[in-house]
Amino acid sequence: MGIPDVIDRWVQQAVHEVLSPNWEPTFHPSSHGFRPGRSCHTAIAEAKRHLEEGYEWVVDLDLEKFFDRVHHQRVCSRLESQVGDRRLIGLIRQMLKAKVVMPDGVVVNTEEGVPQGGPLSPLLSNIVLDELDRELARRGHRFVRYADDCNIYVRSERAGQRVMASVVRFIEGRLRLKVNQAKSAVARPEERHFVGFRLRRNPEDGGVEVLLSKRTEERIGRKIRELTPRSLGRAVAACITGLNRYLRGWVNFFGKSCTEGVVRTLHGLDAHIRRRLRALLLRQWKRRRFIARRLIRMGARPKTVWRRVYEGRKSLWALSHCGPVDHVLSKTYFAQQGLLGLEQSYRAMHAFIAPSQLELALG
């Protein structure tokens, strides 16, 4: 990661403004990364169309340390095909070879790669990988690329293995890049992670579902644990505010493309968040007799509360899912405290309002 200073960033942005109008119209339609009017959502929508057309195996290609391995001469050669000003090419070459100052003051020379973090890097990466796009299109492959993540869709596993071998030869031989064999695979789309999603054909109706990938589910789980730590040194209301800030952005991004099958996952996440908040409240109420008294004041049945709170040697986490606690600190309670519901937000985002019935005037 090479972060340019203010002046370098300003110069890179100026170069980007000059190059982008010339290169952007030439990029392949199946390239979606860092382009105006395109995003992860357009990428997954195109991938979904390929599955609907019967291409149910994916060749998932992972380029190893792509931004660190881009060959400078190849970048400049590609630029020279459309840029006639040698001074501009020389300026870009200087940007590519700019030295990097490490945190400890050591200066490192840059012999290959495109420094990440600058305005020009995404455009240069698309210029380099556009050659891959054109080769895949020439071969007639169905593919979707987002930055250095490329998925090729084929009809069978055998065809996928054949495509994988030939495309790897092209990438490593022609583009001088390295394919990460450990992370690349030929598999069903539901087993792979692509821009945060996975695709699956519904066994009941045969439709293609867009779901959260396992990696995305693991990340949201870690983030929820981070935002609801056991040793919370502030009010639960402040914790809910922090949760809402993150969850609102998360569901607005992932909920936009996911289909109805994701509701079950969102329902589970909502329940997990509420249980962690219950455990935090119980920890703040401290002693069990204080917990029991608080639950009774909030409407729980006294006999049931005293029995369940003192039943065995339960941890606060186990106690957070017992009957009286679930009843009092319910979904409605947390909604009143302002907690955002992922499932509810998703349904509101995809709500369909039927048009009113037309009334025909009769004779």
Side-chain angles (χ1 to χ4, degrees):
M1 176 70 75
I3 307 298
D5 59 24
V6 175
I7 295 178
D8 287 341
R9 183 178 292 276
W10 184 84
V11 173
Q12 286 192 25
Q13 184 62 42
V15 174
H16 183 282
E17 296 295 327
V18 172
L19 293 180
S20 183
N22 294 328
W23 282 95
E24 178 61 33
T26 69
F27 291 148
H28 195 275
S30 293
S31 168
H32 296 266
F34 311 117
R35 296 183 61 190
R38 295 171 182 267
S39 64
C40 298
H41 305 296
T42 60
I44 201 68
E46 183 178 357
K48 182 172 179 284
R49 288 197 299 272
H50 293 327
L51 256 71
E52 290 171 342
E53 293 170 0
Y55 296 84
E56 299 190 2
W57 287 84
V58 61
V59 180
D60 187 0
L61 293 168
D62 182 85
L63 300 182
E64 184 176 335
K65 298 180 179 178
F66 166 71
F67 285 95
D68 297 332
R69 294 180 178 273
V70 172
H71 196 273
H72 290 174
Q73 187 56 44
R74 288 202 62 80
V75 176
C76 294
S77 298
R78 291 282 295 165
L79 288 170
E80 288 172 352
S81 65
Q82 291 199 34
V83 179
D85 192 335
R86 303 293 300 176
R87 296 172 300 175
L88 183 56
I89 299 295
L91 176 61
I92 295 173
R93 195 185 298 273
Q94 289 179 353
M95 293 177 183
L96 293 174
K97 293 187 174 296
K99 298 180 180 180
V100 178
V101 181
M102 305 300 289
D104 57 1
V106 176
V107 179
V108 179
N109 292 329
T110 305
E111 299 299 331
E112 65 177 0
V114 177
Q116 300 182 57
L120 191 58
S121 301
L123 177 61
L124 293 180
S125 67
N126 275 334
I127 290 173
V128 172
L129 292 176
D130 184 62
E131 191 171 355
L132 172 63
D133 298 341
R134 296 300 169 183
E135 178 64 19
L136 295 177
R138 187 187 67 81
R139 299 182 184 187
H141 293 316
R142 305 291 186 96
F143 71 96
V144 183
R145 183 177 65 79
Y146 188 91
D148 56 340
D149 292 332
C150 184
N151 280 3
I152 307 171
Y153 294 88
V154 295
R155 292 188 181 275
S156 67
E157 184 178 13
R158 184 175 180 181
Q161 297 292 352
R162 184 171 62 250
V163 170
M164 169 74 83
S166 63
V167 173
V168 168
R169 285 196 301 270
F170 175 82
I171 292 173
E172 296 186 346
R174 180 71 177 272
L175 302 184
R176 302 184 186 180
L177 298 172
K178 181 70 174 176
V179 175
N180 190 328
Q181 298 290 348
K183 294 183 178 180
S184 301
V186 177
R188 293 287 189 181
E190 64 192 69
E191 301 170 5
R192 306 301 297 177
H193 169 100
F194 183 56
V195 295
F197 302 93
R198 63 186 176 95
L199 298 171
R200 186 188 73 164
R201 187 171 289 280
N202 190 314
E204 296 179 1
D205 58 15
V208 177
E209 295 180 315
V210 180
L211 305 173
L212 301 175
S213 70
K214 288 181 171 56
R215 193 185 309 175
T216 298
E217 292 180 7
E218 291 170 358
R219 285 176 180 172
I220 183 67
R222 287 196 300 269
K223 190 64 178 180
I224 290 171
R225 291 192 294 273
E226 178 185 327
L227 293 172
T228 56
R230 289 184 177 182
S231 56
L232 183 68
R234 53 180 176 160
V236 173
C239 179
I240 290 176
T241 300
L243 272 169
N244 286 347
R245 188 180 301 116
Y246 178 79
L247 296 177
R248 184 173 290 107
W250 186 89
V251 75
N252 284 341
F253 177 81
F254 287 102
K256 183 176 180 180
S257 292
C258 284
T259 52
E260 186 69 18
V262 79
V263 168
R264 183 176 180 181
T265 301
L266 299 181
H267 181 83
L269 288 172
D270 281 336
H272 181 62
I273 292 169
R274 290 194 297 271
R275 185 174 181 184
R276 290 193 67 86
L277 291 175
R278 290 189 197 106
L280 290 178
L281 284 170
L282 296 179
R283 185 175 295 277
Q284 290 186 352
W285 295 345
K286 298 181 180 179
R287 297 180 182 275
R288 290 181 182 262
R289 65 175 180 272
F290 297 152
I291 293 174
R293 291 171 183 170
R294 183 69 71 93
L295 293 174
I296 292 171
R297 285 200 301 269
M298 296 177 72
R301 297 174 60 183
K303 184 177 180 180
T304 305
V305 168
W306 290 111
R307 177 171 57 84
R308 296 303 297 271
V309 168
Y310 281 96
E311 186 178 47
R313 298 178 58 86
K314 289 183 178 179
S315 65
L316 291 178
W317 177 250
L319 195 61
S320 68
H321 194 43
C322 73
V325 177
D326 282 343
H327 174 70
V328 171
L329 303 177
S330 62
K331 179 179 179 180
T332 302
Y333 169 83
F334 284 112
Q336 292 171 349
Q337 303 305 309
L339 178 65
L340 180 76
L342 294 175
E343 180 183 354
Q344 182 181 3
S345 298
Y346 172 83
R347 292 192 182 281
M349 187 184 306
H350 294 269
F352 174 75
I353 302 175
S356 58
Q357 185 175 358
L358 296 178
E359 297 182 1
L360 301 178
L362 299 177

